[in-house]
Amino acid sequence: MTTRTATHAATRGVLYVHSAPSALCPHIEWAVGGVLGVAVNMVWTPQPAQAGAYRAELSWAGSVGSAAQMASALRGWNHLRFEVTEEPTSATEGTRFSYTPELGVFHAVTGLHGDIMIPEDRLKAAVVKAALGDTTLLVEIDRLLGKPWDDELETFRHAGDGAPVRWLHQVV
């Protein structure tokens, strides 16, 4: 019988929870702790851009793929907005995931300096869609770069930094 030792490449990243209702906060910590294999206690502060919401940030260290696992564990939760990044290693590219309830998950591969790297087949598909008149090339490139997610999250990113706040109201 032989013993195999698995080595997992280590990386690190940051989880930004931009807005979450207070009832979700312990569940987010539990889900992230399950991915990282350690108990997680985040510092939650009020999110000024949305009444009753909280924000938190967590720098983490774990195996490659942890950001994808966190995004999978958290996606689909109502009223939750988050981003999670994973730094590149000597053998892997970095990643960025953004999530909003309205847009769902955005995923991008990032290079050494954080730039989004778009595979050529996705660029070719964008050009074809634009040529067929389904959309414009600018709209497709914006989607490939995550601009709709950035536009929606920008208010939440800066709401606590003294920046002007666009207040969100739930319409019933």
Side-chain angles (χ1 to χ4, degrees):
M1 198 177 334
T2 62
T3 306
R4 291 179 64 186
T5 30
T7 58
H8 296 283
T11 188
R12 58 189 176 170
V14 180
L15 169 64
Y16 303 94
V17 178
H18 294 297
S19 73
S22 62
L24 272 187
C25 295
H27 299 285
I28 293 167
E29 291 176 351
W30 177 81
V32 172
V35 169
L36 297 176
V38 295
V40 170
N41 294 305
M42 299 172 76
V43 176
W44 297 95
T45 59
Q47 171 52 273
Q50 186 175 28
Y54 291 84
R55 61 191 294 163
E57 185 177 314
L58 175 72
S59 294
W60 57 269
S63 59
V64 169
S66 294
Q69 291 176 327
M70 281 184 232
S72 292
L74 299 175
R75 71 181 170 90
W77 293 11
N78 285 335
H79 311 293
L80 175 63
R81 290 172 182 83
F82 70 86
E83 291 179 279
V84 61
T85 62
E86 183 171 298
E87 292 183 4
T89 69
S90 60
T92 63
E93 301 293 347
T95 58
R96 172 184 160 208
F97 294 87
S98 300
Y99 176 81
T100 73
E102 294 80 16
L103 298 171
V105 175
F106 168 76
H107 170 251
V109 174
T110 57
L112 182 62
H113 301 289
D115 295 324
I116 292 176
M117 299 171 30
I118 302 171
E120 72 179 75
D121 61 329
R122 292 185 69 195
L123 282 171
K124 288 177 183 177
V127 170
V128 168
K129 283 178 80 173
L132 293 173
D134 295 341
T135 185
T136 67
L137 188 55
L138 180 59
V139 167
E140 286 305 302
I141 290 173
D142 282 348
R143 285 189 58 78
L144 291 172
L145 293 172
K147 186 178 182 319
W149 287 265
D150 286 340
D151 289 347
E152 186 171 332
L153 292 172
E154 197 61 27
T155 297
F156 294 95
R157 290 176 182 145
H158 296 291
D161 299 336
V165 175
R166 175 182 55 118
W167 292 95
L168 301 179
H169 301 283
Q170 184 175 14
V171 178
V172 180

